Amino acid sequence: MDNLQLQELLQSMTLKEKFGQLTQITGELYADVDDRELVETGPEFSRHMLENDTLYTIGSVIGASSAKIINLIQSEYLKKSRLKIPLLFMHDAIHGYKTIFPIPLGLSCTWDASVLQKAAEETASELRASGIHVNFSPMVDLVRDSRWGRVMESFGEDPLLSGDLGKAMIKGYQKIREGQITPTGVAACLKHFAAYGAGIGGKDYNTVDMSLREFFENFGKPYEIALEEEPRFVMSSFNTFNGVPVTASQTMLKDILRERYQFDDLVISDWGAVAELQNHRVAQDGREAAELALSAGVDIEMVSTLYLEHYEAIIEQHPQLLKDVDAAVLKVLQLKNELGLFDNPYADESLEQEVIMNAMSLEAAEEAARRSCVLLKNENSMLPLRKEYKNVILVGPFAGTKELLGNWACKGSFDDVVSLAEGLMQADDSLTVAAYETLEDCPKNELDKCDYIIAAIGEHWGLSGEGHSSVKLELEDRQQHLIRAVKNTNLPYSCVCFSGRPLALQDIIDDIPSLLWCWYPGTRAGAAVAALLTGQATPSGKLTMSFPRYSAQAPVYYNEFSTGRPANGSSYSSRYQDCEIGPLFPFGHGLTYTGAEYSNFAISGRKITEDQELKVSFTVRNPSRYDYSEIAILYIEDLISKTVRPTREMKSYQVVQVPSYGKVDVELTITLEDLKYLNADLQRTVEPGDFRIYVNNLDHSLFTIEY
Ligand code: NOJ
């Protein structure tokens, strides 16, 4: 259809039909289908009390999957709807649909936009083949507090990296060609706008109280960057901001999202969030809740149906809203048109099997998993396994399990996962591998002939994700005992850890000689991790989120503001009296088996001006037999400024493929723009003065801004 036809379609709609397009419900009312194909991702509450003439005006369905089921729902819907506008199907394929990639926090540790883009491309192909048109991903909420269960869905604590990686995923999902989503692409939904990751105390759905400075400089930045890729949707967040729930906030959704960040596509609420304005106690009833959300700029209401219940009264009282409603409905129609739904609303059921979990997506998932692992510690090179170690015992809750997908694993199945034990056996058939949940389960004769133990530890996947905030980040006692028991065998050993969040390991870290942090690696978990353990590849990931030493050290993050009493040995300094200063493992930390060597540092000048940027160059040498991707990170420190600045800010980074025994020259750029910050009046400004540069953790030089 062309735009004129879409306009005509809009003109032909009743008000109810318009509000129908702005409502999203779950799919069970249209067809009697297997529950497993209808994923519920939020609490149940009274909804869907819809008469038939309302039900068949609805615009989109959440959580339905598989081409067959979706086609069934679509055909039942189209049979009975007056205007026969096809339904849009939306889902949460956060890190894969059927082929599961590492959790986003793991993906971010690759620092490699191309890895995330590829993961998104494969996910989009699977989604589209299954009849799904919109993906509720990526999430770019900045995170600093491991207690929040949803850190697993994030890209960590740095605004620039989070924005860049979000952008890469949007690009991968939408696969835009000539301005249009291609037939194997899906519309991306950037979420959760905004600052949802800053809930007080790391408690999910909690209040956010934040200055605008903090928002624009840090928490808002990732959305601002990712929006450049033009996702078709933005999801408003559950939390309040400056006292107002975002679902009802004109400041957030109009002034900031639309005006300042120039977003002009569709805003969808989070699950039930319009109705929840009553729980926030800013709306006295459903009608007021709907009125507030609509006025704030929430175009589509997810799961609750208050728009449809109260539209007549709302429009009667606020006729000026009709213009916004028409604009939103037109965008919905345009998207349906862009996705080709008016030509063919159905998925090709025969294609689904071909696309899902094909060799290419499994390979991409394995590479992503391998590169997302972070080697946190490797004392006496306890990893990789030496060639002479032939009898290996894997012990711990993760030794033999296939439950390595992580939360939000969409349609991923444990049956498809390569366990760690399977991965090791497949990686090297000269190894004898036995897996036990505890050391007591291991027969004595096995232990007698064992050469090496790998303790497979971590936090169960169900303990992170939405609604899974924790106060205790320490490894559970029985696993700490396991590590000590392994140590007492006097056999060489190392640990691999699976987790959806950074854990607090201070009390056990001295008993762990080598620690490979695997997050939740997804379908190819065991194969990817085994390649690293056996030395077929070297770990190359770097942390994007700092690890607290103890639970009570959270939040902890690298780009803290300077204080009047910087942390030092004195009790009159900004520190905890019973905890060492700084995180256990900082942002940017990650080892390889041999370590890259940096040399030949040079800076193109000592002054930076409007039209003269600075180039920071150096050589990265790889002294090992592995090809790997080294992550070079450049930070700046603004020595003196009118408002307080972070002690360090990451301004540039590059993932450099360095061949075995080879070297690569790297050049990173700093522009005047990179040095700007918000002054006391929240204006972006740059002041003349001195800056220090760090590449990774090394302090290299000072330069001066002059202009
Ligand atoms: C609630 C979550 O906050 C959001 O991330 C998700 O996309 C929706 N539910 C839909 O499942």
Side-chain angles (χ1 to χ4, degrees):
M1 283 207 224
D2 59 27
N3 223 25
L4 198 65
Q5 289 168 307
L6 294 172
Q7 293 274 8
E8 282 166 9
L9 179 56
L10 176 69
Q11 301 311 323
S12 70
M13 295 169 83
T14 63
L15 196 53
K16 178 186 273 189
E17 282 165 337
K18 289 179 182 172
F19 275 91
Q21 289 301 314
L22 302 183
T23 303
Q24 172 165 94
I25 63 171
T26 46
E28 73 282 356
L29 292 190
Y30 297 106
D32 186 17
V33 292
D34 185 341
D35 274 2
R36 281 168 305 175
E37 302 295 357
L38 298 176
V39 182
E40 292 248 330
T41 49
E44 275 189 53
F45 58 94
S46 66
R47 57 178 198 268
H48 300 175
M49 310 295 290
L50 305 178
E51 304 288 335
N52 264 7
D53 65 332
T54 311
L55 191 60
Y56 294 94
T57 64
I58 292 286
S60 59
V61 161
I62 177 176
S65 57
S66 97
K68 188 162 164 242
I69 302 303
I70 283 179
N71 285 346
L72 181 67
I73 295 176
Q74 186 78 283
S75 68
E76 290 303 308
Y77 174 88
L78 289 176
K79 261 188 238 163
K80 299 191 188 141
S81 109
R82 182 180 82 93
L83 289 171
K84 309 213 177 306
I85 301 171
L87 286 166
L88 268 180
F89 288 87
M90 312 201 190
H91 217 308
D92 287 279
I94 307 303
H95 51 116
Y97 175 70
K98 186 81 179 153
T99 303
I100 303 301
F101 289 79
I103 57 171
L105 188 55
L107 283 173
S108 72
C109 291
T110 68
W111 291 60
D112 192 336
S114 70
V115 170
L116 283 90
Q117 185 179 326
K118 180 81 182 141
E121 282 167 2
E122 295 300 333
T123 303
S125 300
E126 291 194 353
L127 282 166
R128 204 58 201 277
S130 298
I132 296 157
H133 311 112
V134 182
N135 193 12
F136 295 126
S137 173
M139 169 180 125
V140 295
D141 299 323
L142 200 75
V143 296
R144 293 172 167 176
D145 193 330
S146 239
R147 290 173 296 179
W148 193 43
R150 303 196 78 167
V151 301
M152 62 150 290
E153 295 170 59
S154 80
F155 302 132
E157 70 198 39
D158 184 81
L160 173 64
L161 184 66
S162 298
D164 287 352
L165 299 183
K167 204 168 159 181
M169 284 197 102
I170 295 168
K171 189 165 186 203
Y173 288 136
Q174 299 196 146
K175 304 183 185 170
I176 300 290
R177 210 181 307 129
E178 292 171 10
Q180 303 284 299
I181 297 173
T182 46
T184 61
V186 292
C189 176
L190 182 69
K191 66 189 191 185
H192 309 83
F193 193 83
Y196 178 36
I200 294 173
K203 194 166 63 166
D204 210 354
Y205 318 120
N206 205 10
T207 307
V208 169
D209 198 0
M210 179 180 291
S211 68
L212 281 178
R213 162 183 313 286
E214 181 71 320
F215 182 74
F216 289 127
E217 296 234 64
N218 289 311
F219 284 81
K221 232 357 206 230
Y223 312 106
E224 188 181 5
I225 297 171
L227 283 167
E228 289 166 11
E229 198 54 48
E230 301 185 356
R232 296 298 187 258
F233 287 86
V234 165
M235 188 184 294
S236 50
S237 56
F238 285 126
N239 55 281
T240 55
F241 192 95
N242 200 16
V244 182
V246 174
T247 316
S249 170
Q250 302 200 16
T251 309
M252 292 307 279
L253 300 181
K254 289 200 162 149
D255 303 349
I256 298 182
L257 179 63
R258 295 220 183 267
E259 294 297 318
R260 187 164 176 141
Y261 292 166
Q262 300 279 295
F263 177 69
D264 66 359
D265 232 315
L266 290 158
V267 172
I268 185 167
S269 80
D270 205 336
W271 178 292
V274 176
E276 286 167 11
L277 291 175
Q278 296 164 91
N279 298 344
H280 279 288
R281 297 193 286 135
V282 297
Q284 62 178 347
D285 53 24
R287 178 190 150 173
E288 193 178 3
E291 193 175 300
L292 284 173
L294 195 64
S295 310
V298 172
D299 298 314
I300 300 181
E301 178 182 6
M302 184 194 289
V303 178
S304 58
T305 51
L306 298 175
Y307 281 6
L308 271 172
E309 285 165 45
H310 302 289
Y311 70 91
E312 279 167 317
I314 295 174
I315 295 298
E316 196 181 323
Q317 201 170 344
H318 306 279
Q320 78 283 3
L321 285 177
L322 197 52
K323 195 165 63 49
D324 297 345
V325 169
D326 278 352
V329 175
L330 187 62
K331 284 177 204 161
V332 172
L333 299 178
Q334 282 166 336
L335 179 65
K336 291 182 175 183
N337 193 42
E338 178 180 359
L339 289 160
L341 294 188
F342 290 110
D343 296 331
N344 177 9
Y346 298 108
D348 177 349
E349 290 174 35
S350 64
L351 188 71
E352 193 177 16
Q353 288 323 310
E354 231 174 82
V355 173
I356 293 230
M357 298 193 76
N358 65 27
M360 224 158 64
S361 52
L362 290 174
E363 200 183 302
E366 187 168 325
E367 187 193 342
R370 206 168 50 236
R371 292 189 46 200
S372 63
C373 294
V374 186
L375 183 62
L376 292 179
K377 187 174 172 188
N378 199 15
E379 244 168 37
N380 306 323
S381 299
M382 291 306 286
L383 282 173
L385 265 70
R386 297 197 200 138
K387 288 281 167 252
E388 63 268 28
Y389 297 152
K390 291 296 172 205
N391 291 302
V392 176
I393 290 179
L394 274 172
V395 65
F398 295 85
T401 182
K402 283 173 168 286
E403 294 196 22
L404 300 176
L405 297 177
N407 213 332
W408 285 113
C410 204
K411 302 299 290 177
S413 157
F414 294 139
D415 294 341
D416 296 323
V417 175
V418 183
S419 72
L420 190 52
E422 289 164 346
L424 268 181
M425 285 185 278
Q426 288 159 13
D428 182 349
D429 56 15
S430 74
L431 288 180
T432 305
V433 180
Y436 302 100
E437 192 143 344
T438 68
L439 211 50
E440 292 75 48
D441 295 339
C442 172
K444 184 163 177 328
N445 63 330
E446 287 274 350
L447 210 52
D448 288 344
K449 55 179 204 261
C450 170
D451 300 316
Y452 189 93
I453 304 184
I454 299 171
I457 55 170
E459 186 180 80
H460 188 268
W461 63 267
L463 294 176
S464 53
E466 187 183 351
H468 288 97
S469 294
S470 295
V471 292
K472 194 163 182 288
L473 303 174
E474 283 76 15
L475 196 62
E476 54 179 7
D477 288 348
R478 69 181 175 117
Q479 294 195 50
Q480 299 207 24
H481 292 149
L482 169 72
I483 293 168
R484 295 196 175 104
V486 168
K487 181 179 182 185
N488 288 338
T489 63
N490 290 323
L491 286 163
Y493 71 101
S494 58
C495 292
V496 294
C497 189
F498 298 90
S499 174
R501 54 156 64 87
L503 296 178
L505 301 172
Q506 181 69 60
D507 285 341
I508 191 68
I509 195 66
D510 289 345
D511 294 320
I512 301 179
S514 289
L515 178 58
L516 183 66
W517 202 265
C518 306
W519 305 110
Y520 269 98
T523 309
R524 300 296 296 163
V529 177
L532 300 173
L533 295 177
T534 55
Q536 289 164 13
T538 180
S540 58
K542 289 193 175 172
L543 293 181
T544 57
M545 192 175 177
S546 305
F547 274 47
R549 293 171 187 275
Y550 299 99
S551 304
Q553 201 191 13
V556 60
Y557 50 97
Y558 87 95
N559 47 0
E560 281 187 329
F561 284 117
S562 300
T563 70
R565 294 190 173 181
N568 58 35
S570 154
S571 49
Y572 294 110
S573 77
S574 180
R575 57 163 202 161
Y576 296 103
Q577 61 180 345
D578 52 354
C579 177
E580 278 177 53
I581 293 165
L584 184 59
F585 298 111
F587 175 85
H589 175 70
L591 308 171
T592 63
Y593 286 145
T594 43
E597 292 165 1
Y598 284 65
S599 59
N600 297 335
F601 279 95
I603 178 162
S604 60
R606 298 281 150 184
K607 288 181 184 157
I608 190 166
T609 57
E610 213 48 87
D611 38 34
Q612 195 191 333
E613 49 190 37
L614 287 189
K615 304 265 183 229
V616 178
S617 56
F618 46 91
T619 303
V620 180
R621 192 179 298 276
N622 173 355
S624 75
R625 64 187 170 83
Y626 305 101
D627 296 336
Y628 62 73
S629 46
E630 171 63 14
I631 303 162
I633 310 170
L634 184 147
Y635 304 88
I636 61 154
E637 182 188 352
D638 188 346
L639 296 199
I640 303 291
S641 46
K642 294 230 163 41
T643 64
V644 172
R645 304 297 307 140
T647 44
R648 269 185 205 194
E649 289 171 89
M650 201 260 285
K651 288 295 173 187
S652 182
Y653 59 94
Q654 199 170 310
V655 182
V656 196
Q657 307 299 331
V658 207
S660 157
Y661 302 111
K663 62 180 178 130
V664 174
D665 293 327
V666 183
E667 195 174 79
L668 299 175
T669 306
I670 309 176
T671 64
L672 197 64
E673 198 54 35
D674 290 332
L675 309 180
K676 291 191 177 157
Y677 72 97
L678 293 182
N679 67 14
D681 303 321
L682 298 185
Q683 300 302 318
R684 266 180 83 64
T685 184
V686 59
E687 293 160 356
D690 290 338
F691 288 75
R692 194 166 269 136
I693 307 175
Y694 301 83
V695 172
N696 295 359
N697 273 330
L698 306 170
D699 171 4
H700 285 293
S701 49
L702 271 179
F703 68 91
T704 306
I705 312 189
E706 266 191 17
Y707 55 90

